[in-house]
Amino acid sequence: MTRWDAVRVRQGIVDSCTSAERAGDEAVRRGKPREARRHYERMLANAIRLAEQFPDLSTRRELSASFAKYGDFWQGAGRPDQAAEAYEEGLAVASRLHEEHPDDLGVLRNLRDGAFKLGEIAAAGDGRTARDRYDTALSYAERLADADPRHRGDRRELGVIQERLGLLAADRGEHGEAAEWYARALSVHRNLALETPNDPGTRRDLGVQHERLGDLALLRRDLETARAHYDEALTIRRALLGDDPRDLRAQRALSVLCERLGDVALLADGPDGARQWYDDSFAILDAALGPKHPETRTLRKKLRSRPTG
């Protein structure tokens, strides 16, 4: 095979991989999981063929990413065991590459993402394994953030991993450690929000960290700190809802936040101070979902149990 023949063959396989991946994504969007699976398996088969015929850094890195994509499909289909198998295969490819190219940022990202996704699967029932996976992901995330401080995506992933470690600590009842992780994540997301003030995603991430810290403070009955964090989150949530009033997810989040502020007010100020927050919480959900929606009914029942006079 001449050099130019090899170039054509390689490009043909790359094009087949890309086409299959896009077809799989479209099938997922249309709610056709069986069709999506066929396309993703064709993508993976082509990625394996490409890496075998042209075993360089680029093709093997893409093979790792293809295993991760296949794992994402299984995770979305509610099959975590099969997702984990695919993620492990992708990690194995990336680990071998890392030995040969320890400073390649693409390989480091594949390692970070694979470890994180396995942590997400383990978090559903095995906190110790999840912690190990998140710790591994954190080590790669910190290296990536240090290697290119201007890369916002890498910095955001660092904040996400720190938050997950906080959630695990909170689940274990280690609230002090959880607060430390949330504070670190808050710093990351605050800086990102300052750099991109018009990005809803960075503002949402920042609001979530304030809510996490508010929840911990409320558990400790540190009402002043809880209220301060919830107030920050409330400002962000209201602004996000203003960006898209039809966003049901944002409306639900705002309703929950008002309920939390009602809980703070109930403890700090008594029933009279809490009533308006609870009324606001219910009014938001009622307007978004309607009075007969199960979530609205559940909230009505829950608020009626609060001693608000």
Side-chain angles (χ1 to χ4, degrees), residues 247-257 285 289 293 295:
D247 186 343
L248 290 180
R249 179 182 173 185
Q251 290 172 324
R252 286 187 175 102
L254 184 60
S255 174
V256 169
L257 193 51
L285 206 58
L289 302 177
H293 192 278
E295 288 185 41

Side-chain angles (χ1 to χ4, degrees), residues 259-260 297-306:
E259 184 184 349
R260 294 287 190 278
R297 289 178 172 177
T298 298
L299 180 60
R300 181 191 291 114
K301 183 178 180 180
K302 185 176 180 180
L303 296 183
R304 281 176 177 170
S305 69
R306 297 286 205 282

Side-chain angles (χ1 to χ4, degrees), residues 8 16 19 26 31 40 46 87 143 161 191 266 293 306:
R8 284 194 292 271
S16 294
S19 174
E26 176 62 20
Y40 288 137
N46 280 314
Y87 292 145
R143 284 187 61 184
I161 295 166
N191 288 334
L266 184 62
H293 192 278
R306 297 286 205 282

Side-chain angles (χ1 to χ4, degrees), residues 18-42 69 73 76-77:
T18 302
S19 174
E21 181 177 357
R22 289 175 177 170
D25 292 347
E26 176 62 20
V28 168
R29 190 189 66 80
R30 292 187 287 107
K32 303 287 186 179
R34 291 184 180 179
E35 181 183 336
R37 178 182 174 182
R38 289 197 300 271
H39 289 306
Y40 288 137
E41 289 178 347
R42 181 163 60 91
K69 184 75 175 185
F73 162 73

Side-chain angles (χ1 to χ4, degrees), residues 20 28 38 43 65 67 73 79 82 112 123 132 137-138 165 177 209 241 244 249 261 264 268 275 300 306:
V28 168
R38 289 197 300 271
M43 169 202 71
F67 274 116
F73 162 73
R79 302 287 292 275
Q82 288 180 272
R112 176 199 64 196
D132 290 343
L138 180 69
L165 284 163
E177 180 184 340
Q209 300 316 309
L241 190 58
D244 185 2
R249 179 182 173 185
L261 280 161
V264 172
R275 185 180 299 112
R300 181 191 291 114
R306 297 286 205 282

Side-chain angles (χ1 to χ4, degrees), residues 178-184 186 208-218 220 225-226 229-230:
E180 290 178 8
W181 284 117
Y182 292 152
R184 291 171 67 178
L186 179 72
V208 167
Q209 300 316 309
H210 279 297
E211 290 172 36
R212 302 284 191 216
L213 286 163
D215 290 345
L216 286 179
L218 182 57
R220 299 193 306 266
T225 299
H229 282 297
Y230 287 147

